[in-house]
Amino acid sequence: MCVVTAVADGERAGCLVGFASQCSLRPPRFTVWLSKVNHTYRVARAAHCLAVHLLTRDRRDLAELFGGETGDDVDKFVGVDWSEEYGGAIVLRDAAAWFVGTILHRTDGGDHVGFVLEPVQWGEGRDGPLLRLSDALPIDAGHPVE
């Protein structure tokens, strides 16, 4: 599980993502899939880059915030430690690891759109076991698929 953040046109957004994967070794590429019903998807459509974060299990509160709330109703970044990085991307300071990637392609996959990213900046933070899907299953999505 990871959290993806996006910034465009004066808006910021972020969501918990279950579909993400490295998709090329040379050149390095990574794809994150955003649900079309999410506020983050709407912001990401106009963004030039996205930030992708891995969380440790002890920061499940961040997973609950970014997965269980909707940016349509709440500013998820209030009270969260973050910084502005490459291209204006928002990076969560309490992540285990993160990278900012420029958006190369967008691919429609049905109810999700894949954003193919070229990593341009990255860093590490907290140590500890990473948050897994099984850790996030109890979170009620801020925007259900239907």
Side-chain angles (χ1 to χ4, degrees), residues 1 4 13 17 21 28 30-31 39 54 61-62 82 87 91 109 114 117 127:
M1 301 298 296
V4 174
V17 172
S21 176
F30 195 88
T31 303
H39 178 249
L54 293 176
D61 60 316
L62 286 175
W82 59 272
V91 168
L117 307 174
D127 285 330

Side-chain angles (χ1 to χ4, degrees), residues 15 24 26 32 34 36 54 72 75 87 91 102 113 121 125 136 141 144:
C15 65
S24 175
R26 289 193 193 111
V32 294
L34 302 179
K36 291 178 182 178
L54 293 176
D72 294 325
D75 182 348
V91 168
T102 56
V113 171
Q121 184 184 22

Side-chain angles (χ1 to χ4, degrees), residues 24-124:
S24 175
L25 293 172
R26 289 193 193 111
R29 299 288 186 263
F30 195 88
T31 303
V32 294
W33 294 85
L34 302 179
S35 170
K36 291 178 182 178
V37 299
N38 283 353
H39 178 249
T40 304
Y41 166 71
R42 293 191 300 278
V43 174
R45 287 186 308 188
H48 298 289
C49 57
L50 300 176
V52 180
H53 310 80
L54 293 176
L55 302 178
T56 52
R57 287 188 205 154
D58 67 332
R59 289 311 317 253
R60 187 173 181 276
D61 60 316
L62 286 175
E64 289 174 355
L65 173 64
F66 284 94
E69 299 291 338
T70 173
D72 294 325
D73 300 329
V74 204
D75 182 348
K76 298 179 188 181
F77 299 93
V78 172
V80 173
D81 189 17
W82 59 272
S83 63
E84 186 175 312
E85 299 296 338
Y86 179 90
I90 291 179
V91 168
L92 305 177
R93 302 310 321 164
D94 285 333
W98 59 270
F99 78 89
V100 174
T102 56
I103 300 170
L104 300 177
H105 310 286
R106 292 169 179 86
T107 302
D108 191 316
D111 58 9
H112 284 65
V113 171
F115 290 75
V116 178
L117 307 174
E118 175 183 21
V120 293
Q121 184 184 22
W122 49 87
E124 295 179 21

